[in-house]
Amino acid sequence: MYPVLAALIAATEVLYFLGSTRSDMIQFMVTLPYASFATQGIHTLALTLMNPASFSSLHAKSYEIFKVLNENHGNRSILARPLRIGTVIQSLMTTLYVVILVFILFLPLATWWITGQKILILLFRLPGVDERCTEGFLETMALHVALLPIAFCGFLGIDCLFLALIVPVVAFVDAMANEMDELNQLLQSPESSQGHEIRSKLIRLVQLHQLLIKYELTLEEHYNVVVFVKIGAIVFGMISTILVMFNVRDIMAFIFTIVLFEQLTQYCLLGAVISSKNNQLIDHLYDIKWYLLPAGQAKHLVLMLERAQNAPTLTVGKFATLNMELYDNIMKKVYSYVMLLATFLEQS
């Protein structure tokens, strides 16, 4: 109930400020980034409450593939490497969010302590409370202290979860490459008794590839709308924060720009990781010495290769593939719209 209540308070205040500042474009732009984050948070919260099984199914499929790959002792160090990298990236993300949280909470208090000025960074206010007096200032800061931990845990959790669902794809493809190398070693072995082992290894590869495809399909099915809402909110937020930085001194505009830029970069990079690993898997399949296999077994490789060439990837609401090309297009569009709106503001 605490996250739901915090989200409702934030959304109500954002809607109020959007309505009250609609005649002042600059102040309206100051409020838009708050709307961007509120949209992201409420959409993800609603999705989680309405369909918690979606995340459970992704975890179950991921665990199933890990369990199968872990049966091969040669895969264990390969599987561990991407997981360690993912943990380091999550630690860096946590550090960024902690620094921002501490800055937002302690800068107003430090300014008040040192200069006596009561300056609030966040937009959120308590109805009927005068934040210019000491009691009102402290009450408003108490509201911020109540809201920010939810935002911190929520957005950090969303970003870390998305990363945690992408990293297994890297581990799976690397481990499958190791299994393909083992298959090639068996194919080159002069011993004629390796036929059963070769057939078992090939069947295992086919099963692993099917599990990987199912995992990527499930990931795309559950995340394409989430990514669409998130990318859309990020784009609107970035345009507004950049315009605000050019026109008024708003500390939160700088903070929002950093966070939004980090989110956009992270999501596009992780989307590109899936496309890259799918392409690597195709290269590994081409490297299998298929000509040493019996004709009946070689057909399995043909089917795997055909499926790998049409592997699922993450999309933005099925409209565009989530990758670095999209990132480049978004940055160009943001720049164009910022210049257009900046010109309009100068002339108005």
Side-chain angles (χ1 to χ4, degrees):
M1 295 305 298
Y2 182 22
V4 172
L5 180 61
L8 289 176
I9 291 173
T12 302
E13 294 225 8
V14 166
L15 289 174
Y16 169 76
F17 281 111
L18 284 175
S20 61
T21 60
R22 63 184 182 276
S23 59
D24 186 338
M25 189 170 182
I26 295 298
Q27 290 304 314
F28 187 81
M29 288 287 180
V30 170
T31 311
L32 268 183
Y34 292 88
S36 170
F37 283 99
T39 302
Q40 294 180 47
I42 291 174
H43 177 259
T44 307
L45 186 61
L47 184 68
T48 306
L49 293 174
M50 293 170 60
N51 189 19
S54 62
F55 298 101
S56 300
S57 64
L58 281 167
H59 175 263
K61 285 182 170 60
S62 173
Y63 180 79
E64 182 182 4
I65 303 175
F66 265 112
K67 186 177 180 181
V68 174
L69 288 171
N70 206 44
E71 294 171 355
N72 185 339
H73 291 274
N75 289 336
R76 294 183 179 180
S77 60
I78 296 173
L79 292 171
R81 192 182 309 119
L83 297 178
R84 285 196 298 268
I85 295 173
T87 303
V88 171
I89 296 173
Q90 287 181 332
S91 300
L92 294 174
M93 290 163 54
T94 304
T95 302
L96 173 64
Y97 278 96
V98 167
V99 170
I100 291 173
L101 177 68
V102 171
F103 181 80
I104 293 174
L105 287 178
F106 284 97
L107 181 62
L109 293 174
T111 303
W112 180 44
W113 179 267
I114 296 170
T115 66
Q117 292 182 323
K118 300 178 181 66
I119 299 174
L120 293 167
I121 299 180
L122 288 176
L123 187 68
F124 303 115
R125 299 291 187 270
L126 286 168
V129 173
D130 183 7
E131 63 271 9
R132 291 171 296 181
C133 68
T134 301
E135 293 79 6
F137 175 76
L138 292 176
E139 289 172 0
T140 307
M141 282 300 302
L143 173 66
H144 296 174
V145 170
L147 293 178
L148 280 176
I150 288 297
F152 169 78
C153 295
F155 287 107
L156 179 62
I158 291 168
D159 293 348
C160 285
L161 175 61
F162 186 67
L163 175 64
L165 293 173
I166 300 296
V167 167
V169 176
V170 180
F172 299 159
V173 172
D174 291 347
M176 286 182 67
N178 178 61
E179 301 244 356
M180 292 177 193
D181 289 339
E182 292 177 353
L183 176 61
N184 278 335
Q185 292 174 11
L186 290 172
L187 289 171
Q188 293 177 297
S189 174
E191 299 179 16
S192 58
S193 60
Q194 300 291 337
H196 176 72
E197 195 172 349
I198 290 172
R199 186 166 56 255
S200 299
K201 177 66 76 174
L202 185 59
I203 292 173
R204 175 179 167 84
L205 279 173
V206 172
Q207 292 173 341
L208 285 170
H209 189 237
Q210 289 175 344
L211 288 173
L212 176 62
I213 294 295
K214 288 180 181 178
Y215 179 77
E216 291 181 340
L217 280 171
T218 306
L219 189 65
E220 157 64 9
E221 177 186 347
H222 293 317
Y223 260 92
N224 71 85
V225 177
V226 175
V227 172
F228 176 77
V229 173
K230 195 167 190 72
I231 295 298
I234 288 172
V235 170
F236 279 106
M238 288 183 69
I239 292 172
S240 57
T241 54
I242 294 172
L243 281 170
V244 170
M245 284 193 299
F246 282 140
N247 288 276
V248 295
R249 288 186 177 182
D250 186 83
I251 297 176
M252 283 307 301
F254 291 92
I255 295 174
F256 283 147
T257 301
I258 293 171
V259 176
L260 291 168
F261 181 78
E262 182 273 333
Q263 287 183 337
L264 180 65
T265 305
Q266 174 199 342
Y267 275 74
C268 290
L269 274 174
L270 291 176
V273 165
I274 292 185
S275 300
S276 175
K277 298 311 288 188
N278 284 336
N279 291 333
Q280 285 184 23
L281 186 60
I282 293 172
D283 294 337
H284 293 313
L285 286 169
Y286 273 122
D287 290 338
I288 294 178
K289 303 186 185 302
W290 56 269
Y291 48 85
L292 298 178
L293 285 167
Q297 296 180 14
K299 290 180 181 178
H300 291 298
L301 289 181
V302 175
L303 293 174
M304 285 178 65
L305 188 58
E306 181 181 0
R307 191 69 184 91
Q309 289 173 336
N310 298 281
T313 187
L314 276 176
T315 64
V316 182
K318 299 188 181 297
F319 294 109
T321 302
L322 186 66
N323 53 27
M324 294 311 293
E325 183 179 352
L326 176 67
Y327 179 85
D328 182 54
N329 291 334
I330 287 174
M331 295 305 292
K332 289 178 181 177
K333 293 293 184 184
V334 168
Y335 173 78
S336 299
Y337 282 115
V338 167
M339 292 298 102
L340 178 65
L341 290 171
T343 304
F344 172 77
L345 288 172
E346 287 179 1
Q347 294 175 353
S348 60

